[in-house]
Amino acid sequence: MDRIVIRGGRQLNGTVRIESAKNAVLPILAACILSRGECLLHGIPPLHDVFTISQLLMRLGVAVRTERPGLLRIHTPDVIQTEAPYDLVRKMRASVLVMGPLLTRFGVAKVPLPGGCAIGNRPVDLHLKGFQSLGADIEIKHGFIQASAERLYGARIYLDYPSHTATENIMMAAVLAEGTTYIENAAEEPEIVDVANFLNSMGARITGAGTKVIRIEGVRELGGTEYACIPDRIEAGTYLVAAAISRGDVTLTNVITEHLKPVIAKLQEAGAEFEGRNGTIRVIARERLRSVDVKTLPYPGFPTDMQAQMMSLMCVTEGISIVTETVFENRFLHVEELKRMGADIRIEGPSAIVRGVERLYGAPVKATDLRAGASLVLAGLVAEGQTDIFGVGHVDRGYVNIVGKLQALGADISRVNT
Ligand code: EPZ
């Protein structure tokens, strides 16, 4: 079992290139099920979650060929399996994203109830209500969800909550429905715009993605395409915090600054300085930053996927920060681990009160989920002494070569196989 070993205290300096967005690549790979043609996808990051969904597609009968690292050629034949295997769905709840494409193209989709995970019970009721509104029958038994419909028909769907993947799943189901669908109170994340652009490149007719109302005019079929996904705003945000916490000077390449506005605004409020021009961002933190309050919200609010990383920074800033998590019900699992490193944090309901301390101390700690793992790496960068991070598999789900990238920026970090 691998662990990450960090000796803190190094300032990060240099340049790091950001990968394509995990949370755009996953739904776009699922969306390839909709195409009668070939899809050529560029810049696909070698993440564990990407490997898992590629395996899932192949188990369904979809041809997934790696032309060269990062370049996938995908073709879905006219007849495939429509039941997603439990062992893969259990590993990654984003597997539920194959439901919409399977249902609308093949008339049936059977997916194990995606389990909860460390950060919450993660229901999929909004996905299923959307499919029902489009005319699907939904049956849940023996731990499986089965959605079926001769044909789907356009509908006006109001989401109780702007769910990120529910918006994507319903949008994908609607592209081949008969008639026009409106998704209201839709999620507005940049990844949803990327999925819509991908679908439109195959011949779909979607407008309004990235706003509260998305309009999908059903078409008869979708063809092949060639596409490259947007950069990962969460990976980028993580490296911005790595530079800030180490009081370094780091330039990120392959970024879309617009997508990072909530994170940049918060780091500027804390005292970090930024310079940006076409596709790059430079962040400089010359002295100890100030504590600021953080409240997670659906996009364009501050992203929940950056909450743990921001909390690590607030552990060593000047003052008191109130970090409030409004999106998931249990996304403070990193708090106990940070306290083992000397952080001063008190949880009060949906908020964590973080009192900045002079320094953190290295300790053996455990990652419980993807972003919690990232937050422990960030804390290790600045802690006095050695930090050993266990549960590295969680980090590998969302970060390509985080050890190599941080080493290149000057961190004393390595990966040890125990
Ligand atoms: C997506 O998860 C992301 N995953 C998550 O990223 C991210 O944290 C989340 O959106 C919020 O931005 C992917 O895109 C693959 P939600 P998703 O549906 O779609 C409740 C990471 O670190 N809800 O917007 O599952 C839900 O319980 C991962 O990369 C329902 O009640 O998030 C949660 O409290 C972690 N019923 C809230 O909505 C539903 O049917 C937000 O969930 C769906 C969601």
Side-chain angles (χ1 to χ4, degrees), residues 22-23 26 93-94 97 119 121-127 161-166 168 189 304-305 327-329 331 370-371:
K22 167 178 83 79
N23 292 345
L26 295 179
R93 59 179 314 286
L97 284 164
I119 62 177
N121 69 15
R122 312 289 295 271
V124 290
D125 57 306
L126 298 176
H127 301 238
Y161 182 90
S163 157
H164 188 145
T165 50
E168 291 167 339
E189 275 78 3
T304 174
D305 290 350
V327 176
F328 289 107
E329 65 269 26
R331 205 170 195 174
L370 162 57
R371 308 303 174 182

PDB file of all heavy atoms in Angstrom, residues 22-23 26 93-94 97 119 121-127 161-166 168 189 304-305 327-329 331 370-371, ligand 1:
ATOM      1  N   LYS A  22     -11.443  16.169 -14.632  1.00  0.00           N
ATOM      2  CA  LYS A  22     -12.004  14.835 -14.329  1.00  0.00           C
ATOM      3  C   LYS A  22     -13.526  14.869 -14.452  1.00  0.00           C
ATOM      4  O   LYS A  22     -14.132  13.994 -15.074  1.00  0.00           O
ATOM      5  CB  LYS A  22     -11.631  14.435 -12.910  1.00  0.00           C
ATOM      6  CG  LYS A  22     -12.399  13.224 -12.367  1.00  0.00           C
ATOM      7  CD  LYS A  22     -11.982  12.818 -10.982  1.00  0.00           C
ATOM      8  CE  LYS A  22     -12.636  13.591  -9.894  1.00  0.00           C
ATOM      9  NZ  LYS A  22     -13.994  13.187  -9.557  1.00  0.00           N
ATOM     10  N   ASN A  23     -14.147  15.929 -13.910  1.00  0.00           N
ATOM     11  CA  ASN A  23     -15.613  15.972 -13.858  1.00  0.00           C
ATOM     12  C   ASN A  23     -16.259  16.445 -15.156  1.00  0.00           C
ATOM     13  O   ASN A  23     -17.481  16.582 -15.218  1.00  0.00           O
ATOM     14  CB  ASN A  23     -16.068  16.803 -12.659  1.00  0.00           C
ATOM     15  CG  ASN A  23     -15.724  16.090 -11.349  1.00  0.00           C
ATOM     16  OD1 ASN A  23     -15.413  14.906 -11.350  1.00  0.00           O
ATOM     17  ND2 ASN A  23     -15.756  16.822 -10.253  1.00  0.00           N
ATOM     18  N   LEU A  26     -15.443  12.423 -17.277  1.00  0.00           N
ATOM     19  CA  LEU A  26     -16.298  11.286 -16.889  1.00  0.00           C
ATOM     20  C   LEU A  26     -17.659  11.335 -17.603  1.00  0.00           C
ATOM     21  O   LEU A  26     -18.048  10.359 -18.253  1.00  0.00           O
ATOM     22  CB  LEU A  26     -16.462  11.226 -15.371  1.00  0.00           C
ATOM     23  CG  LEU A  26     -15.185  10.935 -14.579  1.00  0.00           C
ATOM     24  CD1 LEU A  26     -15.465  10.932 -13.072  1.00  0.00           C
ATOM     25  CD2 LEU A  26     -14.548   9.617 -14.996  1.00  0.00           C
ATOM     26  N   ARG A  93     -19.256   6.210  -7.936  1.00  0.00           N
ATOM     27  CA  ARG A  93     -20.674   6.526  -8.063  1.00  0.00           C
ATOM     28  C   ARG A  93     -20.979   7.341  -9.310  1.00  0.00           C
ATOM     29  O   ARG A  93     -22.097   7.369  -9.787  1.00  0.00           O
ATOM     30  CB  ARG A  93     -21.196   7.200  -6.821  1.00  0.00           C
ATOM     31  CG  ARG A  93     -20.500   8.487  -6.474  1.00  0.00           C
ATOM     32  CD  ARG A  93     -21.122   9.068  -5.262  1.00  0.00           C
ATOM     33  NE  ARG A  93     -22.557   9.048  -5.363  1.00  0.00           N
ATOM     34  CZ  ARG A  93     -23.267   9.865  -6.128  1.00  0.00           C
ATOM     35  NH1 ARG A  93     -22.644  10.731  -6.890  1.00  0.00           N
ATOM     36  NH2 ARG A  93     -24.576   9.801  -6.156  1.00  0.00           N
ATOM     37  N   ALA A  94     -19.962   7.950  -9.906  1.00  0.00           N
ATOM     38  CA  ALA A  94     -20.199   8.705 -11.155  1.00  0.00           C
ATOM     39  C   ALA A  94     -20.580   7.757 -12.291  1.00  0.00           C
ATOM     40  O   ALA A  94     -21.014   8.189 -13.355  1.00  0.00           O
ATOM     41  CB  ALA A  94     -18.951   9.490 -11.529  1.00  0.00           C
ATOM     42  N   LEU A  97     -23.707   7.976 -14.454  1.00  0.00           N
ATOM     43  CA  LEU A  97     -23.809   8.829 -15.641  1.00  0.00           C
ATOM     44  C   LEU A  97     -24.069   8.032 -16.917  1.00  0.00           C
ATOM     45  O   LEU A  97     -24.391   8.611 -17.956  1.00  0.00           O
ATOM     46  CB  LEU A  97     -22.519   9.658 -15.797  1.00  0.00           C
ATOM     47  CG  LEU A  97     -22.396  10.841 -14.851  1.00  0.00           C
ATOM     48  CD1 LEU A  97     -20.968  11.342 -14.798  1.00  0.00           C
ATOM     49  CD2 LEU A  97     -23.346  11.955 -15.268  1.00  0.00           C
ATOM     50  N   ILE A 119     -18.361  11.230   1.973  1.00  0.00           N
ATOM     51  CA  ILE A 119     -18.807  12.618   2.195  1.00  0.00           C
ATOM     52  C   ILE A 119     -20.321  12.748   2.288  1.00  0.00           C
ATOM     53  O   ILE A 119     -20.849  13.832   2.516  1.00  0.00           O
ATOM     54  CB  ILE A 119     -18.253  13.576   1.115  1.00  0.00           C
ATOM     55  CG1 ILE A 119     -18.761  13.205  -0.274  1.00  0.00           C
ATOM     56  CG2 ILE A 119     -16.748  13.600   1.158  1.00  0.00           C
ATOM     57  CD1 ILE A 119     -18.280  14.172  -1.367  1.00  0.00           C
ATOM     58  N   ASN A 121     -24.545  10.529   1.762  1.00  0.00           N
ATOM     59  CA  ASN A 121     -25.235   9.329   1.247  1.00  0.00           C
ATOM     60  C   ASN A 121     -25.522   9.449  -0.246  1.00  0.00           C
ATOM     61  O   ASN A 121     -25.867   8.480  -0.897  1.00  0.00           O
ATOM     62  CB  ASN A 121     -26.501   9.020   2.054  1.00  0.00           C
ATOM     63  CG  ASN A 121     -27.588  10.076   1.815  1.00  0.00           C
ATOM     64  OD1 ASN A 121     -27.499  10.861   0.861  1.00  0.00           O
ATOM     65  ND2 ASN A 121     -28.575  10.093   2.675  1.00  0.00           N
ATOM     66  N   ARG A 122     -25.357  10.589  -0.804  1.00  0.00           N
ATOM     67  CA  ARG A 122     -25.320  10.779  -2.262  1.00  0.00           C
ATOM     68  C   ARG A 122     -26.504  10.123  -2.987  1.00  0.00           C
ATOM     69  O   ARG A 122     -26.343   9.258  -3.832  1.00  0.00           O
ATOM     70  CB  ARG A 122     -24.007  10.239  -2.838  1.00  0.00           C
ATOM     71  CG  ARG A 122     -22.746  10.659  -2.128  1.00  0.00           C
ATOM     72  CD  ARG A 122     -22.372  12.112  -2.309  1.00  0.00           C
ATOM     73  NE  ARG A 122     -22.036  12.478  -3.662  1.00  0.00           N
ATOM     74  CZ  ARG A 122     -20.797  12.407  -4.174  1.00  0.00           C
ATOM     75  NH1 ARG A 122     -19.836  11.906  -3.444  1.00  0.00           N
ATOM     76  NH2 ARG A 122     -20.547  12.777  -5.402  1.00  0.00           N
ATOM     77  N   PRO A 123     -27.743  10.487  -2.691  1.00  0.00           N
ATOM     78  CA  PRO A 123     -28.888   9.873  -3.387  1.00  0.00           C
ATOM     79  C   PRO A 123     -28.893  10.260  -4.875  1.00  0.00           C
ATOM     80  O   PRO A 123     -28.173  11.173  -5.297  1.00  0.00           O
ATOM     81  CB  PRO A 123     -30.090  10.481  -2.666  1.00  0.00           C
ATOM     82  CG  PRO A 123     -29.601  11.760  -2.103  1.00  0.00           C
ATOM     83  CD  PRO A 123     -28.163  11.555  -1.765  1.00  0.00           C
ATOM     84  N   VAL A 124     -29.708   9.543  -5.658  1.00  0.00           N
ATOM     85  CA  VAL A 124     -29.836   9.878  -7.088  1.00  0.00           C
ATOM     86  C   VAL A 124     -31.297  10.138  -7.441  1.00  0.00           C
ATOM     87  O   VAL A 124     -31.708  10.015  -8.592  1.00  0.00           O
ATOM     88  CB  VAL A 124     -29.260   8.753  -7.988  1.00  0.00           C
ATOM     89  CG1 VAL A 124     -27.745   8.708  -7.876  1.00  0.00           C
ATOM     90  CG2 VAL A 124     -29.884   7.403  -7.645  1.00  0.00           C
ATOM     91  N   ASP A 125     -32.088  10.531  -6.428  1.00  0.00           N
ATOM     92  CA  ASP A 125     -33.526  10.743  -6.668  1.00  0.00           C
ATOM     93  C   ASP A 125     -33.797  11.789  -7.750  1.00  0.00           C
ATOM     94  O   ASP A 125     -34.742  11.652  -8.538  1.00  0.00           O
ATOM     95  CB  ASP A 125     -34.224  11.130  -5.352  1.00  0.00           C
ATOM     96  CG  ASP A 125     -33.590  12.366  -4.719  1.00  0.00           C
ATOM     97  OD1 ASP A 125     -32.354  12.352  -4.511  1.00  0.00           O
ATOM     98  OD2 ASP A 125     -34.302  13.343  -4.469  1.00  0.00           O
ATOM     99  N   LEU A 126     -32.955  12.824  -7.825  1.00  0.00           N
ATOM    100  CA  LEU A 126     -33.206  13.878  -8.828  1.00  0.00           C
ATOM    101  C   LEU A 126     -32.950  13.362 -10.248  1.00  0.00           C
ATOM    102  O   LEU A 126     -33.661  13.707 -11.191  1.00  0.00           O
ATOM    103  CB  LEU A 126     -32.330  15.101  -8.536  1.00  0.00           C
ATOM    104  CG  LEU A 126     -32.602  15.783  -7.183  1.00  0.00           C
ATOM    105  CD1 LEU A 126     -31.624  16.918  -6.935  1.00  0.00           C
ATOM    106  CD2 LEU A 126     -34.046  16.286  -7.120  1.00  0.00           C
ATOM    107  N   HIS A 127     -31.942  12.457 -10.374  1.00  0.00           N
ATOM    108  CA  HIS A 127     -31.706  11.835 -11.688  1.00  0.00           C
ATOM    109  C   HIS A 127     -32.968  11.074 -12.099  1.00  0.00           C
ATOM    110  O   HIS A 127     -33.443  11.203 -13.223  1.00  0.00           O
ATOM    111  CB  HIS A 127     -30.547  10.828 -11.602  1.00  0.00           C
ATOM    112  CG  HIS A 127     -29.229  11.374 -11.166  1.00  0.00           C
ATOM    113  ND1 HIS A 127     -28.091  11.282 -11.921  1.00  0.00           N
ATOM    114  CD2 HIS A 127     -28.854  12.006 -10.017  1.00  0.00           C
ATOM    115  CE1 HIS A 127     -27.067  11.839 -11.274  1.00  0.00           C
ATOM    116  NE2 HIS A 127     -27.510  12.287 -10.128  1.00  0.00           N
ATOM    117  N   TYR A 161     -32.870  20.699  -6.462  1.00  0.00           N
ATOM    118  CA  TYR A 161     -31.540  21.189  -6.097  1.00  0.00           C
ATOM    119  C   TYR A 161     -30.719  21.190  -7.381  1.00  0.00           C
ATOM    120  O   TYR A 161     -30.842  20.277  -8.189  1.00  0.00           O
ATOM    121  CB  TYR A 161     -30.889  20.265  -5.049  1.00  0.00           C
ATOM    122  CG  TYR A 161     -29.526  20.745  -4.600  1.00  0.00           C
ATOM    123  CD1 TYR A 161     -29.377  21.599  -3.515  1.00  0.00           C
ATOM    124  CD2 TYR A 161     -28.379  20.381  -5.312  1.00  0.00           C
ATOM    125  CE1 TYR A 161     -28.135  22.076  -3.127  1.00  0.00           C
ATOM    126  CE2 TYR A 161     -27.130  20.841  -4.929  1.00  0.00           C
ATOM    127  CZ  TYR A 161     -27.002  21.689  -3.849  1.00  0.00           C
ATOM    128  OH  TYR A 161     -25.774  22.172  -3.479  1.00  0.00           O
ATOM    129  N   PRO A 162     -29.879  22.198  -7.644  1.00  0.00           N
ATOM    130  CA  PRO A 162     -29.075  22.217  -8.885  1.00  0.00           C
ATOM    131  C   PRO A 162     -27.979  21.160  -8.847  1.00  0.00           C
ATOM    132  O   PRO A 162     -26.789  21.475  -8.739  1.00  0.00           O
ATOM    133  CB  PRO A 162     -28.512  23.634  -8.910  1.00  0.00           C
ATOM    134  CG  PRO A 162     -28.466  24.072  -7.485  1.00  0.00           C
ATOM    135  CD  PRO A 162     -29.608  23.393  -6.795  1.00  0.00           C
ATOM    136  N   SER A 163     -28.403  19.895  -8.962  1.00  0.00           N
ATOM    137  CA  SER A 163     -27.449  18.781  -8.878  1.00  0.00           C
ATOM    138  C   SER A 163     -26.593  18.722 -10.136  1.00  0.00           C
ATOM    139  O   SER A 163     -27.109  18.711 -11.253  1.00  0.00           O
ATOM    140  CB  SER A 163     -28.210  17.466  -8.716  1.00  0.00           C
ATOM    141  OG  SER A 163     -27.415  16.382  -9.143  1.00  0.00           O
ATOM    142  N   HIS A 164     -25.279  18.654  -9.931  1.00  0.00           N
ATOM    143  CA  HIS A 164     -24.294  18.637 -11.010  1.00  0.00           C
ATOM    144  C   HIS A 164     -24.527  17.452 -11.949  1.00  0.00           C
ATOM    145  O   HIS A 164     -24.870  17.627 -13.123  1.00  0.00           O
ATOM    146  CB  HIS A 164     -22.908  18.574 -10.352  1.00  0.00           C
ATOM    147  CG  HIS A 164     -21.756  18.737 -11.251  1.00  0.00           C
ATOM    148  ND1 HIS A 164     -20.608  19.390 -10.866  1.00  0.00           N
ATOM    149  CD2 HIS A 164     -21.534  18.322 -12.511  1.00  0.00           C
ATOM    150  CE1 HIS A 164     -19.742  19.361 -11.867  1.00  0.00           C
ATOM    151  NE2 HIS A 164     -20.275  18.722 -12.862  1.00  0.00           N
ATOM    152  N   THR A 165     -24.409  16.229 -11.466  1.00  0.00           N
ATOM    153  CA  THR A 165     -24.516  15.085 -12.391  1.00  0.00           C
ATOM    154  C   THR A 165     -25.961  14.780 -12.765  1.00  0.00           C
ATOM    155  O   THR A 165     -26.214  14.228 -13.839  1.00  0.00           O
ATOM    156  CB  THR A 165     -23.882  13.810 -11.798  1.00  0.00           C
ATOM    157  OG1 THR A 165     -24.381  13.607 -10.483  1.00  0.00           O
ATOM    158  CG2 THR A 165     -22.367  13.890 -11.780  1.00  0.00           C
ATOM    159  N   ALA A 166     -26.937  15.190 -11.917  1.00  0.00           N
ATOM    160  CA  ALA A 166     -28.335  14.981 -12.333  1.00  0.00           C
ATOM    161  C   ALA A 166     -28.622  15.847 -13.564  1.00  0.00           C
ATOM    162  O   ALA A 166     -29.260  15.401 -14.524  1.00  0.00           O
ATOM    163  CB  ALA A 166     -29.301  15.331 -11.205  1.00  0.00           C
ATOM    164  N   GLU A 168     -26.474  16.753 -15.816  1.00  0.00           N
ATOM    165  CA  GLU A 168     -25.790  16.110 -16.953  1.00  0.00           C
ATOM    166  C   GLU A 168     -26.542  14.875 -17.424  1.00  0.00           C
ATOM    167  O   GLU A 168     -26.761  14.679 -18.625  1.00  0.00           O
ATOM    168  CB  GLU A 168     -24.355  15.729 -16.545  1.00  0.00           C
ATOM    169  CG  GLU A 168     -23.459  16.923 -16.328  1.00  0.00           C
ATOM    170  CD  GLU A 168     -22.148  16.611 -15.627  1.00  0.00           C
ATOM    171  OE1 GLU A 168     -22.064  15.549 -14.950  1.00  0.00           O
ATOM    172  OE2 GLU A 168     -21.212  17.423 -15.730  1.00  0.00           O
ATOM    173  N   GLU A 189     -22.266  24.521 -13.387  1.00  0.00           N
ATOM    174  CA  GLU A 189     -20.814  24.279 -13.394  1.00  0.00           C
ATOM    175  C   GLU A 189     -20.234  24.294 -14.814  1.00  0.00           C
ATOM    176  O   GLU A 189     -20.909  23.873 -15.773  1.00  0.00           O
ATOM    177  CB  GLU A 189     -20.494  22.932 -12.727  1.00  0.00           C
ATOM    178  CG  GLU A 189     -20.377  22.990 -11.215  1.00  0.00           C
ATOM    179  CD  GLU A 189     -21.721  23.032 -10.482  1.00  0.00           C
ATOM    180  OE1 GLU A 189     -22.759  22.965 -11.166  1.00  0.00           O
ATOM    181  OE2 GLU A 189     -21.724  23.147  -9.263  1.00  0.00           O
ATOM    182  N   THR A 304     -17.410  23.261  -3.373  1.00  0.00           N
ATOM    183  CA  THR A 304     -17.244  22.317  -2.267  1.00  0.00           C
ATOM    184  C   THR A 304     -15.981  21.477  -2.454  1.00  0.00           C
ATOM    185  O   THR A 304     -15.334  21.103  -1.482  1.00  0.00           O
ATOM    186  CB  THR A 304     -18.463  21.393  -2.129  1.00  0.00           C
ATOM    187  OG1 THR A 304     -18.206  20.396  -1.148  1.00  0.00           O
ATOM    188  CG2 THR A 304     -18.816  20.704  -3.432  1.00  0.00           C
ATOM    189  N   ASP A 305     -15.580  21.248  -3.717  1.00  0.00           N
ATOM    190  CA  ASP A 305     -14.393  20.426  -3.974  1.00  0.00           C
ATOM    191  C   ASP A 305     -13.105  21.142  -3.612  1.00  0.00           C
ATOM    192  O   ASP A 305     -12.030  20.550  -3.671  1.00  0.00           O
ATOM    193  CB  ASP A 305     -14.343  20.015  -5.448  1.00  0.00           C
ATOM    194  CG  ASP A 305     -15.435  19.029  -5.771  1.00  0.00           C
ATOM    195  OD1 ASP A 305     -16.077  18.537  -4.840  1.00  0.00           O
ATOM    196  OD2 ASP A 305     -15.654  18.772  -6.969  1.00  0.00           O
ATOM    197  N   VAL A 327     -23.043  21.961   0.727  1.00  0.00           N
ATOM    198  CA  VAL A 327     -23.403  21.059  -0.372  1.00  0.00           C
ATOM    199  C   VAL A 327     -23.512  19.613   0.094  1.00  0.00           C
ATOM    200  O   VAL A 327     -24.473  18.915  -0.237  1.00  0.00           O
ATOM    201  CB  VAL A 327     -22.375  21.175  -1.521  1.00  0.00           C
ATOM    202  CG1 VAL A 327     -22.659  20.174  -2.626  1.00  0.00           C
ATOM    203  CG2 VAL A 327     -22.371  22.601  -2.075  1.00  0.00           C
ATOM    204  N   PHE A 328     -22.513  19.131   0.854  1.00  0.00           N
ATOM    205  CA  PHE A 328     -22.548  17.742   1.347  1.00  0.00           C
ATOM    206  C   PHE A 328     -22.679  17.744   2.870  1.00  0.00           C
ATOM    207  O   PHE A 328     -22.210  18.663   3.536  1.00  0.00           O
ATOM    208  CB  PHE A 328     -21.278  16.992   0.923  1.00  0.00           C
ATOM    209  CG  PHE A 328     -21.229  16.703  -0.541  1.00  0.00           C
ATOM    210  CD1 PHE A 328     -20.376  17.387  -1.382  1.00  0.00           C
ATOM    211  CD2 PHE A 328     -22.090  15.759  -1.099  1.00  0.00           C
ATOM    212  CE1 PHE A 328     -20.361  17.145  -2.746  1.00  0.00           C
ATOM    213  CE2 PHE A 328     -22.076  15.508  -2.462  1.00  0.00           C
ATOM    214  CZ  PHE A 328     -21.202  16.195  -3.282  1.00  0.00           C
ATOM    215  N   GLU A 329     -23.274  16.655   3.363  1.00  0.00           N
ATOM    216  CA  GLU A 329     -23.598  16.629   4.792  1.00  0.00           C
ATOM    217  C   GLU A 329     -22.456  16.125   5.664  1.00  0.00           C
ATOM    218  O   GLU A 329     -22.507  16.224   6.866  1.00  0.00           O
ATOM    219  CB  GLU A 329     -24.847  15.788   5.054  1.00  0.00           C
ATOM    220  CG  GLU A 329     -24.764  14.295   4.765  1.00  0.00           C
ATOM    221  CD  GLU A 329     -25.185  13.940   3.339  1.00  0.00           C
ATOM    222  OE1 GLU A 329     -25.056  14.812   2.459  1.00  0.00           O
ATOM    223  OE2 GLU A 329     -25.607  12.800   3.134  1.00  0.00           O
ATOM    224  N   ARG A 331     -18.665  16.471   4.947  1.00  0.00           N
ATOM    225  CA  ARG A 331     -17.416  16.725   4.221  1.00  0.00           C
ATOM    226  C   ARG A 331     -16.383  17.413   5.111  1.00  0.00           C
ATOM    227  O   ARG A 331     -15.654  18.290   4.674  1.00  0.00           O
ATOM    228  CB  ARG A 331     -17.690  17.521   2.942  1.00  0.00           C
ATOM    229  CG  ARG A 331     -16.600  17.271   1.920  1.00  0.00           C
ATOM    230  CD  ARG A 331     -16.879  17.813   0.567  1.00  0.00           C
ATOM    231  NE  ARG A 331     -15.956  17.198  -0.379  1.00  0.00           N
ATOM    232  CZ  ARG A 331     -15.994  17.374  -1.700  1.00  0.00           C
ATOM    233  NH1 ARG A 331     -16.906  18.180  -2.228  1.00  0.00           N
ATOM    234  NH2 ARG A 331     -15.128  16.767  -2.493  1.00  0.00           N
ATOM    235  N   LEU A 370     -11.131  11.956  -1.806  1.00  0.00           N
ATOM    236  CA  LEU A 370     -10.225  12.584  -2.775  1.00  0.00           C
ATOM    237  C   LEU A 370      -9.715  13.950  -2.331  1.00  0.00           C
ATOM    238  O   LEU A 370      -8.515  14.201  -2.252  1.00  0.00           O
ATOM    239  CB  LEU A 370     -10.999  12.677  -4.096  1.00  0.00           C
ATOM    240  CG  LEU A 370     -10.551  13.600  -5.192  1.00  0.00           C
ATOM    241  CD1 LEU A 370      -9.139  13.296  -5.609  1.00  0.00           C
ATOM    242  CD2 LEU A 370     -11.500  13.453  -6.370  1.00  0.00           C
ATOM    243  N   ARG A 371     -10.610  14.847  -1.985  1.00  0.00           N
ATOM    244  CA  ARG A 371     -10.183  16.218  -1.678  1.00  0.00           C
ATOM    245  C   ARG A 371      -9.625  16.309  -0.257  1.00  0.00           C
ATOM    246  O   ARG A 371      -8.762  17.148   0.011  1.00  0.00           O
ATOM    247  CB  ARG A 371     -11.332  17.209  -1.879  1.00  0.00           C
ATOM    248  CG  ARG A 371     -11.990  17.088  -3.245  1.00  0.00           C
ATOM    249  CD  ARG A 371     -11.014  17.259  -4.402  1.00  0.00           C
ATOM    250  NE  ARG A 371     -11.690  16.997  -5.677  1.00  0.00           N
ATOM    251  CZ  ARG A 371     -11.104  17.021  -6.867  1.00  0.00           C
ATOM    252  NH1 ARG A 371      -9.819  17.263  -6.950  1.00  0.00           N
ATOM    253  NH2 ARG A 371     -11.771  16.766  -7.963  1.00  0.00           N
TER     254      ARG A 371
HETATM  255  C1  EPZ B   1     -20.524  16.291  -8.623  1.00  0.00           C
HETATM  256  O1  EPZ B   1     -21.057  15.304  -7.777  1.00  0.00           O
HETATM  257  C2  EPZ B   1     -19.026  16.060  -8.645  1.00  0.00           C
HETATM  258  N1  EPZ B   1     -18.749  14.750  -9.236  1.00  0.00           N
HETATM  259  C3  EPZ B   1     -18.477  16.153  -7.235  1.00  0.00           C
HETATM  260  O2  EPZ B   1     -17.064  16.018  -7.325  1.00  0.00           O
HETATM  261  C4  EPZ B   1     -18.794  17.540  -6.681  1.00  0.00           C
HETATM  262  O3  EPZ B   1     -18.379  17.604  -5.333  1.00  0.00           O
HETATM  263  C5  EPZ B   1     -20.308  17.805  -6.766  1.00  0.00           C
HETATM  264  O4  EPZ B   1     -20.779  17.608  -8.103  1.00  0.00           O
HETATM  265  C6  EPZ B   1     -20.659  19.237  -6.370  1.00  0.00           C
HETATM  266  O5  EPZ B   1     -20.068  20.124  -7.289  1.00  0.00           O
HETATM  267  C7  EPZ B   1     -18.757  14.628 -10.581  1.00  0.00           C
HETATM  268  O6  EPZ B   1     -19.018  15.568 -11.316  1.00  0.00           O
HETATM  269  C8  EPZ B   1     -18.411  13.270 -11.122  1.00  0.00           C
HETATM  270  P1  EPZ B   1     -24.507  16.969  -6.713  1.00  0.00           P
HETATM  271  P2  EPZ B   1     -22.664  15.124  -7.724  1.00  0.00           P
HETATM  272  O7  EPZ B   1     -25.496  16.068  -7.365  1.00  0.00           O
HETATM  273  O8  EPZ B   1     -23.262  15.415  -9.035  1.00  0.00           O
HETATM  274  C9  EPZ B   1     -27.635  16.081  -3.326  1.00  0.00           C
HETATM  275  C10 EPZ B   1     -14.951  15.325  -6.679  1.00  0.00           C
HETATM  276  O9  EPZ B   1     -14.322  15.568  -5.664  1.00  0.00           O
HETATM  277  N2  EPZ B   1     -28.340  15.269  -4.337  1.00  0.00           N
HETATM  278  O10 EPZ B   1     -24.375  18.360  -7.215  1.00  0.00           O
HETATM  279  O11 EPZ B   1     -22.939  13.805  -7.086  1.00  0.00           O
HETATM  280  C11 EPZ B   1     -26.333  15.422  -2.897  1.00  0.00           C
HETATM  281  O12 EPZ B   1     -26.573  14.471  -1.888  1.00  0.00           O
HETATM  282  C12 EPZ B   1     -16.412  14.963  -6.618  1.00  0.00           C
HETATM  283  O13 EPZ B   1     -14.470  15.398  -7.844  1.00  0.00           O
HETATM  284  C13 EPZ B   1     -29.600  14.751  -4.039  1.00  0.00           C
HETATM  285  O14 EPZ B   1     -30.120  14.957  -2.947  1.00  0.00           O
HETATM  286  O15 EPZ B   1     -23.074  16.283  -6.731  1.00  0.00           O
HETATM  287  C14 EPZ B   1     -25.508  16.587  -2.405  1.00  0.00           C
HETATM  288  O16 EPZ B   1     -25.843  16.861  -1.058  1.00  0.00           O
HETATM  289  C15 EPZ B   1     -16.857  14.766  -5.192  1.00  0.00           C
HETATM  290  N3  EPZ B   1     -30.240  13.995  -4.968  1.00  0.00           N
HETATM  291  C16 EPZ B   1     -25.981  17.736  -3.302  1.00  0.00           C
HETATM  292  O17 EPZ B   1     -27.207  17.309  -3.899  1.00  0.00           O
HETATM  293  C17 EPZ B   1     -29.690  13.744  -6.204  1.00  0.00           C
HETATM  294  O18 EPZ B   1     -30.334  13.061  -7.032  1.00  0.00           O
HETATM  295  C18 EPZ B   1     -25.010  18.094  -4.408  1.00  0.00           C
HETATM  296  O19 EPZ B   1     -24.803  16.925  -5.143  1.00  0.00           O
HETATM  297  C19 EPZ B   1     -28.412  14.276  -6.489  1.00  0.00           C
HETATM  298  C20 EPZ B   1     -27.759  15.032  -5.552  1.00  0.00           C
END
